[in-house]
């Protein structure tokens, strides 16, 4: 509805008409909206932000439960430590998350973008700060246009200081996953952190400040790849925020109690004013729509004021809209929708692509569990002494090796070293102590010497394959082995 049309109505029957306020720079000043979906968003975003900040403070057995220690190449997840060799597990995990997201997208469209994406959550937090510092969308638009004054400077300074503080906290929160979180906040806020720690925290703080404070929906529109390819996961049963054009058109303003031949859309423009990406959902499905549901809440509010059925804009599917999608239907049929709820076609069939994503998700989960269960908790590397191939000591021949052994568990372990010879006539003996104690996560280099008596059995051999093994003394089944060679003097 345009302003002049609106002004022809008595004020009691007028609904608020607000254009998307924008500054000369084109910045969108989103109108604040309340309703069911905005409540869900508020709770989901709050939960996401709380989990992000609190997770690094959870301790397990006296240390940070989740710690991605890049310098030590160890990723701690409660009682699991992942090493570089175990990164396939992380790969399965990320792929499972991706297929899980694809699966959800087939049914619920971009529900991730609207309710759980960190970009959306942080943007909402920054917009909330902005509203506290500068007022509602009218005040913010007016402030944009106002000449420089003490009040404008004070409001802008307050906003930017609060944004900077939030961004800095976010930088600390993020880096808290990579280094001990408890000390990090103190070190940063007392300017006593190490140089590189400070650089990374301020870098992520700057990224947050720019993304959530300035770029906002531009990230979704121009940088996020998911917004570009999510449409391929949609089908006619995917639920997305949609405008029921058959019911809403032809749109037009009217008094609240006035009977009219028009469709249900009273052209109040609220759905556009509350849209964080500044689009008009009445123009159909658009990739800019992040499915936040703000327009659904706004339109339902208008429908309630006019005594119409809710959900002129709703989370629904193309199939559910089909029976009324004949936008060119006779006017008499269209106006019927003032009182009748739209019919829908529930479709229970599992779409082929959902089946594909679900299967891929299941496979990734199984691979992850199998990999996790079969990963070795000991790392063994056998390196032969490169200086001397063998030593003759009387009637014996000796070979020396370096064993690189890493304890990949989170407890100190006593290990036993042993040899499997593949030649029955050869009696190899380990002449070094075969017991070692290794601290959690520690790698030691342990020199060992093997000895064998020369005999008729060995005289024909120049080398034989042997196998070193190392086993946990308490759990002998926790064992790894690696092959090497034992060399003899050539005859
Ligand atoms: S069109 Fe509606 S659901 Fe989509 S981004 Fe805008 S307000 Fe959110
Ligand atoms: S779709 Fe709903 S919110 Fe949007 S202009 Fe029409 S009545 Fe208003």
């Amino acid at each position: 509805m345009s302003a002049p049309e609106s002004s022809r109505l008595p004020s009691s029957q007028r609904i608020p008409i607000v254009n998307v306020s924008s500054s000369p720079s084109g910045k969108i000043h989103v109108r604040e909206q309340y309703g069911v979906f905005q409540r869900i968003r508020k709770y989901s975003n709050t939960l996401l932000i709380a989990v992000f900040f609190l997770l690094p403070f959870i301790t397990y057995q006296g240390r940070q439960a989740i710690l991605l220690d890049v310098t030590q190449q160890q990723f701690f997840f409660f009682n699991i430590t992942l090493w570089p060799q175990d990164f396939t597990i992380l790969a399965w995990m990320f792929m499972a998350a991706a297929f899980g997201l694809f699966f959800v997208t087939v049914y619920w469209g971009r529900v991730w973008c609207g309710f759980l994406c960190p970009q959306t959550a942080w943007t909402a937090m920054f917009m909330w700060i902005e509203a506290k510092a500068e007022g509602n969308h009218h005040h913010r638009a007016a402030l944009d246009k106002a000449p420089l004054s003490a009040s404008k400077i004070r409001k802008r300074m307050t906003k930017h200081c609060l944004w900077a503080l939030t961004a800095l906290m976010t930088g600390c929160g993020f880096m808290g996953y990579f280094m001990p979180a408890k000390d990090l906040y103190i070190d940063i806020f007392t300017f006593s952190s190490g140089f590189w720690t400070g650089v990374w925290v301020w870098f992520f703080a700057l990224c947050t400040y720019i993304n959530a404070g300035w770029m906002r929906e531009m990230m979704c529109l121009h940088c996020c790849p998911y917004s570009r390819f999510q449409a391929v996961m949609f089908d006619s049963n995917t639920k997305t925020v949609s405008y029921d054009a058959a019911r809403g058109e032809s749109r037009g303003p009217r008094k609240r109690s006035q009977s009219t031949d028009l469709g249900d859309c009273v052209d109040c423009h609220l759905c556009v004013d509350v849209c964080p990406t500044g689009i008009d959902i009445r123009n159909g499905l658009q990739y800019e729509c992040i499915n936040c549901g703000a327009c659904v809440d706004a339109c339902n509010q208008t429908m309630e004021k006019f005594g119409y059925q809710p959900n002129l804009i709703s989370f629904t599917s193309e199939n559910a809209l089909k029976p009324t999608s004949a936008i060119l239907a006779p006017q008499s049929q269209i106006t019927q929708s003032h009182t009748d709820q739209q019919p829908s076609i529930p479709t229970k069939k599992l779409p082929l692509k959902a089946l594909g994503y679900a299967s891929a998700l299941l496979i990734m989960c199984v691979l992850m569990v199998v990999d996790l269960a079969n990963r070795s908790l000991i790392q063994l590397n056998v390196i032969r002494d490169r200086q001397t191939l063998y030593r003759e000591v009387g009637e014996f021949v000796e070979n020396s090796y370096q064993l690189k052994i890493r304890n990949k568990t989170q407890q100190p372990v006593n290990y036993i070293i042993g040899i499997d010879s593949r030649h029955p006539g050869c009696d190899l003996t380990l002449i070094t102590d075969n017991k070692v104690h290794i601290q959690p996560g520690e790698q030691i280099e342990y020199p060992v010497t093997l000895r064998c008596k020369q005999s008729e059995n060995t005289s024909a051999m120049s080398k034989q394959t042997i196998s070193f093994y190392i086993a946990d003394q308490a759990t002998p089944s926790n064992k790894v082995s690696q092959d090497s060679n034992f060399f003899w003097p050539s005859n």
Side-chain angles (χ1 to χ4, degrees):
M1 188 194 299
S2 65
E5 284 166 330
S6 164
S7 60
R8 285 200 293 271
L9 299 175
S11 61
S12 60
Q13 294 185 342
R14 236 180 268 158
I15 55 171
I17 298 162
V18 190
N19 290 323
V20 174
S21 312
S22 62
S23 70
S25 62
K27 182 180 175 187
I28 298 170
H29 291 293
V30 181
R31 182 189 179 112
E32 295 74 24
Q33 181 58 47
Y34 304 95
V36 175
F37 291 109
Q38 297 326 291
R39 259 202 308 283
I40 296 172
R41 281 187 84 201
K42 192 169 85 179
Y43 294 141
S44 62
N45 288 346
T46 307
L47 183 69
L48 179 75
I49 292 167
V51 167
F52 169 80
F53 280 111
L54 294 179
L55 264 189
F57 288 97
I58 298 173
T59 52
Y60 177 79
Q61 293 184 344
R63 58 158 183 77
Q64 196 167 317
I66 298 177
L67 180 63
L68 313 178
D69 191 341
V70 178
T71 49
Q72 298 295 319
Q73 300 187 339
Q74 300 177 56
F75 286 7
F76 298 100
F77 299 95
F78 292 87
N79 64 339
I80 297 171
T81 309
L82 295 184
W83 295 82
Q85 304 81 8
D86 307 320
F87 275 11
T88 46
I89 296 169
L90 285 182
W92 302 135
M93 194 175 83
F94 284 125
M95 286 164 76
F99 283 116
L101 179 63
F102 298 166
F103 179 76
V104 170
T105 304
V106 173
Y107 285 98
W108 292 98
R110 294 179 66 179
V111 69
W112 160 266
C113 300
F115 295 87
L116 283 169
C117 172
Q119 171 70 22
T120 315
W122 259 256
T123 299
M125 180 162 57
F126 273 55
M127 285 166 72
W128 179 80
I129 292 171
E130 188 174 52
K132 294 288 167 205
E134 296 182 349
N136 66 23
H137 62 298
H138 288 304
H139 295 136
R140 296 197 299 273
L143 193 68
D144 263 6
K145 291 172 191 153
L148 204 60
S149 66
S151 162
K152 183 169 179 171
I153 293 172
R154 181 178 52 76
K155 286 179 180 172
R156 285 278 146 91
M157 288 283 287
T158 307
K159 177 179 83 172
H160 287 290
C161 287
L162 289 173
W163 276 5
L165 183 66
T166 312
L168 187 59
M169 293 286 286
T170 306
C172 290
F174 188 76
M175 286 307 290
Y177 286 88
F178 296 90
M179 52 188 61
K182 281 179 186 158
D183 304 329
L184 182 67
Y185 286 86
I186 299 166
D187 289 350
I188 289 293
F189 283 95
T190 56
F191 300 101
S192 54
S193 70
F195 175 76
W196 284 111
T197 303
V199 166
W200 282 113
V201 167
W202 283 100
F203 172 73
F204 286 113
L206 186 66
C207 290
T208 308
Y209 182 82
I210 293 171
N211 280 351
W214 295 91
M215 293 192 69
R216 298 186 178 178
E217 73 287 346
M218 305 304 283
M219 288 297 290
C220 311
L221 302 190
H222 304 297
C223 303
C224 176
Y226 180 53
S227 70
R228 298 284 167 167
F229 69 76
Q230 42 90 25
V232 300
M233 296 157 212
F234 286 14
D235 62 21
S236 48
N237 288 313
T238 302
K239 285 191 164 48
T240 58
V241 171
S242 311
Y243 169 67
D244 187 347
R247 180 186 151 192
E249 301 298 327
S250 42
R251 68 187 77 161
R254 81 283 317 255
K255 294 177 182 174
R256 285 190 192 175
S257 51
Q258 182 185 348
S259 71
T260 170
D261 285 345
L262 295 169
D264 280 4
C265 175
V266 301
D267 210 11
C268 64
H269 216 256
L270 274 181
C271 51
V272 182
D273 295 340
V274 298
C275 179
T277 60
I279 60 168
D280 186 343
I281 193 65
R282 293 173 298 172
N283 295 336
L285 180 65
Q286 293 149 75
Y287 84 90
E288 292 95 336
C289 175
I290 58 168
N291 272 25
C292 68
C295 56
V296 180
D297 286 332
C299 190
N300 280 343
Q301 180 186 312
T302 300
M303 292 296 106
E304 196 184 338
K305 279 181 186 161
F306 278 77
Y308 296 164
Q309 290 290 334
N311 296 331
L312 175 59
I313 302 176
S314 62
F315 277 91
T316 190
S317 67
E318 193 187 322
N319 268 351
L321 283 176
K322 251 180 194 165
T324 55
S325 67
I327 196 165
L328 299 175
Q331 206 59 240
S332 57
Q333 286 177 24
I334 293 172
T335 51
Q336 209 182 348
S337 63
H338 287 315
T339 50
D340 296 346
Q341 178 67 293
Q342 62 179 351
S344 65
I345 302 175
T347 308
K348 299 282 180 204
K349 226 170 51 180
L350 188 69
L352 204 59
K353 57 175 92 175
L355 198 65
Y357 295 138
S359 313
L361 169 65
L362 192 68
I363 291 169
M364 295 306 142
C365 288
V366 169
L367 284 173
M368 188 173 73
V369 172
V370 168
D371 236 7
L372 205 54
N374 290 330
R375 86 204 150 96
S376 169
L377 297 175
I378 312 167
Q379 187 184 325
L380 172 64
N381 250 316
V382 181
I383 302 161
R384 278 194 50 83
D385 182 357
R386 297 191 200 286
Q387 308 290 333
T388 322
L389 206 55
Y390 58 85
R391 273 189 311 278
E392 288 184 86
V393 184
E395 57 185 337
F396 296 98
V397 174
E398 291 179 357
N399 281 207
S400 295
Y401 308 82
Q402 283 279 350
L403 303 189
K404 280 191 177 178
I405 310 162
R406 187 187 288 281
N407 172 7
K408 291 167 73 179
T409 70
Q410 295 179 2
Q411 295 81 34
V413 179
N414 291 317
Y415 293 104
I416 296 179
I417 302 166
I419 297 293
D420 289 327
S421 166
R422 295 187 190 160
H423 195 283
C426 177
D427 193 13
L428 284 166
T429 317
L430 194 67
I431 59 169
T432 323
D433 186 7
N434 73 336
K435 292 192 179 67
V436 284
H437 177 84
I438 308 180
Q439 294 299 322
E442 190 190 1
Q443 174 172 281
I444 61 161
E445 291 193 11
Y446 192 68
V448 294
T449 300
L450 284 184
R451 170 180 283 185
C452 188
K453 195 172 181 180
Q454 300 192 64
S455 66
E456 280 179 13
N457 284 331
T458 63
S459 60
M461 293 192 284
S462 62
K463 78 168 183 182
Q464 72 158 306
T465 303
I466 55 166
S467 180
F468 282 94
Y469 71 81
I470 180 155
D472 183 338
Q473 204 171 350
T475 325
S477 58
N478 183 12
K479 173 180 176 180
V480 289
S481 51
Q482 195 188 354
D483 287 354
S484 189
N485 290 309
F486 188 92
F487 285 88
W488 302 89
S490 20
N491 294 315

